[in-house]
């Protein structure tokens, strides 16, 4: 009897551990310091402060990916803009390179792209060094990383040579469309529309995440550590706390990017050479066979798309 109880308690403890460890996600935020229709310093400060307040409150690790062209005014370093990044580092967060000017590899070609990577690491490296940190991660703008296997291999070699780890993403979504709609509604003084867009945002993100969980199950028979991409934008400055609540409500532990990437799934090759910037889950699924891609990916509601000014997702 005692043995049975012991065995049962062991089983319960094991399954509790399994549940606790089951879901992991890393939060990565792109286009720092801020991406919004209002590019003035006061607005950038406000958005930065609000984003960081949510992150501090939730006590979660976050990495922000920087476009350094936003740190210059009239061709000169702008210390006020650079201070926005110092705010991230002061909160113990990490920074990565997202190229200097957010260019598309597929449009400019490898040489220009590599030059933009080098140009984009100058100030971030200095700021990280002030904190005793090093620049470790790179995220491709538009998630575009080559139309041929040769270009992909050459770029990977270049990045590895500069000690970068590529930051893939699995939890892809269109937060930028919601934020464009939110920005536009704000600019036109349409508070009702702002509220409607805002209230639709986190439920949309949850439906998207549920899709990536199903896609992961189909492909791997388990839920891999997810990597979420969102942007340093207006809507997240208002809703990041709700977004984090949603993640936790689904049982997610929020881990740093390095920890998430230790999941074996990320050691699979990325052989995708299509033109779109798609989730790594879809890259791996396509490599395995077209029947591996789940069809029911949620879309942005029509009223949000219309308000955003985007033609399509
Ligand atoms: Zn970006």
């Amino acid at each position: 009897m005692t043995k049975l109880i012991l065995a049962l308690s062991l089983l319960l403890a094991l399954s509790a551990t399994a549940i606790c460890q089951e879901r992991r996600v890393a939060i990565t935020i792109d286009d720092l310091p801020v991406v919004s229709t209002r590019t003035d310093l006061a607005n950038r400060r406000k958005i930065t402060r609000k984003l960081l307040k949510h992150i501090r409150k939730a006590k979660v690790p976050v990495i922000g990916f920087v476009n350094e062209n936003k740190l210059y005014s009239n061709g000169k370093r702008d210390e006020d803009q650079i201070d926005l990044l110092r705010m991230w580092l002061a909160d113990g967060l990490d920074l990565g390179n997202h190229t200097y000017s957010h260019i598309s590899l597929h449009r400019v070609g490898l040489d220009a792209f590599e030059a933009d990577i080098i140009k984009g690491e100058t100030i971030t490296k200095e700021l990280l060094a002030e904190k005793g940190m090093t620049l470790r991660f790179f995220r491709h703008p538009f998630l575009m990383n080559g139309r041929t296997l040769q270009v992909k291999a050459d770029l990977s070699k270049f990045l590895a040579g500069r000690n970068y780890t590529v930051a893939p993403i699995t939890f892809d979504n269109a937060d930028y469309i919601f934020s464009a709609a939110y920005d536009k509604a704000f600019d036109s003084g349409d508070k009702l529309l702002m509220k409607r867009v805002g209230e639709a945002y986190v439920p949309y993100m949850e439906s998207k995440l549920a899709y990536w969980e199903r896609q992961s199950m189909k492909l791997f028979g388990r839920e891999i550590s997810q990597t979420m991409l969102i942007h340093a934008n207006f809507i997240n400055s208002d809703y990041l706390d709700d977004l984090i609540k949603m993640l936790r409500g689904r049982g997610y532990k929020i881990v740093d990017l390095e920890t998430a990437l230790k999941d074996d799934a990320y050691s699979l090759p990325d052989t995708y050479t299509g033109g779109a910037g798609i989730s790594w889950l879809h890259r791996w699924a396509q490599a395995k066979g077209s029947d591996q891609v789940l069809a029911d990916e949620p879309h942005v509601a029509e009223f949000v798309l219309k308000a955003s000014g985007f033609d399509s997702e």
Side-chain angles (χ1 to χ4, degrees):
M1 189 64 185
T2 321
K3 268 186 185 170
L4 183 66
I5 291 168
L6 269 175
L8 278 173
S9 3
L10 187 65
L11 201 66
L12 277 172
L14 280 173
S15 55
T17 314
I19 289 162
C20 290
Q21 290 180 347
E22 202 168 37
R23 290 181 157 167
R24 288 180 171 202
V25 63
I27 300 178
T28 71
I29 304 188
D30 281 14
D31 301 6
L32 262 58
V34 163
V35 52
S36 164
T37 50
R38 271 151 281 109
T39 57
D40 59 284
L41 182 64
N43 188 54
R44 283 186 177 176
R45 271 191 183 138
K46 196 172 167 190
I47 288 181
T48 302
R49 282 198 187 112
K50 285 165 79 180
L51 282 170
L52 292 174
K53 199 175 154 193
H54 294 312
I55 295 167
R56 269 198 308 275
K57 198 174 144 209
K59 297 188 176 66
V60 289
V62 167
I63 181 166
F65 286 91
V66 179
N67 298 125
E68 288 196 6
N69 65 343
K70 294 174 182 168
L71 308 178
Y72 292 81
S73 299
N74 304 316
K76 286 192 183 139
R77 283 168 69 118
D78 183 334
E79 292 301 323
D80 286 333
Q81 303 284 352
I82 295 170
D83 280 346
L84 299 173
L85 295 185
R86 288 200 175 94
M87 287 163 68
W88 287 74
L89 293 171
D91 275 353
L93 307 175
D94 199 1
L95 296 176
N97 186 350
H98 194 38
T99 74
Y100 176 78
S101 57
H102 207 282
I103 52 171
S104 152
L105 165 66
H106 298 175
R107 189 173 55 80
V108 301
L110 194 55
D111 289 347
F113 191 73
E114 289 177 354
D116 213 60
I117 291 171
I118 295 171
K119 199 175 173 187
E121 66 191 18
T122 321
I123 297 170
T124 311
K125 262 188 178 172
E126 281 176 30
L127 298 180
L128 286 165
E130 284 172 13
K131 289 275 170 189
M133 296 161 75
T134 51
L135 182 57
R136 296 180 299 156
F137 291 99
F138 176 77
R139 153 102 15 96
H140 306 81
F142 313 104
L143 308 178
M144 291 173 181
N145 64 358
R147 297 303 311 273
T148 66
L149 291 177
Q150 188 62 55
V151 167
K152 284 168 89 84
D154 289 347
L155 178 56
S156 292
K157 205 174 150 197
F158 170 85
L159 288 168
R162 297 187 78 78
N163 296 317
Y164 283 111
T165 298
V166 167
I169 64 131
T170 55
F171 177 7
D172 190 25
N173 60 79
D175 78 315
Y176 60 94
I177 292 181
F178 277 84
S179 205
Y182 203 62
D183 268 325
K184 286 202 161 133
F186 177 87
D187 290 341
S188 62
D190 191 341
K191 284 190 177 157
L192 187 65
L193 181 58
M194 270 184 87
K195 192 165 178 279
R196 280 183 72 210
V197 171
E199 284 174 358
Y201 176 53
V202 175
Y204 158 82
M205 291 293 273
E206 182 160 20
S207 69
K208 205 80 177 175
L209 177 54
Y211 169 83
W212 294 119
E213 289 161 1
R214 292 195 301 278
Q215 178 66 79
S216 174
M217 282 303 290
K218 181 171 173 67
L219 197 55
F220 295 101
R222 67 183 179 93
E223 289 190 22
I224 66 163
S225 295
Q226 300 277 355
T227 35
M228 175 175 83
L229 160 63
I230 56 171
H231 293 82
N233 58 26
F234 190 19
I235 202 160
N236 286 316
S237 78
D238 280 343
Y239 287 89
L240 182 57
D241 54 346
D242 288 341
L243 194 56
I244 291 172
K245 255 184 234 156
M246 180 277 281
L247 295 172
R248 287 181 163 155
R250 294 184 77 79
Y252 277 91
K253 183 182 181 199
I254 295 157
V255 296
D256 62 43
L257 181 58
E258 190 176 5
T259 304
L261 297 185
K262 280 182 183 151
D263 191 306
D264 286 345
Y266 293 95
S267 60
L268 281 175
D270 162 23
T271 52
Y272 173 74
T273 51
I278 61 172
S279 160
W280 264 248
L281 274 167
H282 275 172
R283 294 170 196 231
W284 299 321
Q286 285 190 20
K288 207 172 164 188
S290 53
D291 63 328
Q292 291 294 309
V293 178
L294 277 187
D296 59 340
E297 188 172 349
H299 291 292
V300 176
E302 198 56 41
F303 84 93
V304 179
L305 191 63
K306 201 174 154 216
S308 75
F310 281 86
D311 294 333
S312 60
E313 272 182 55

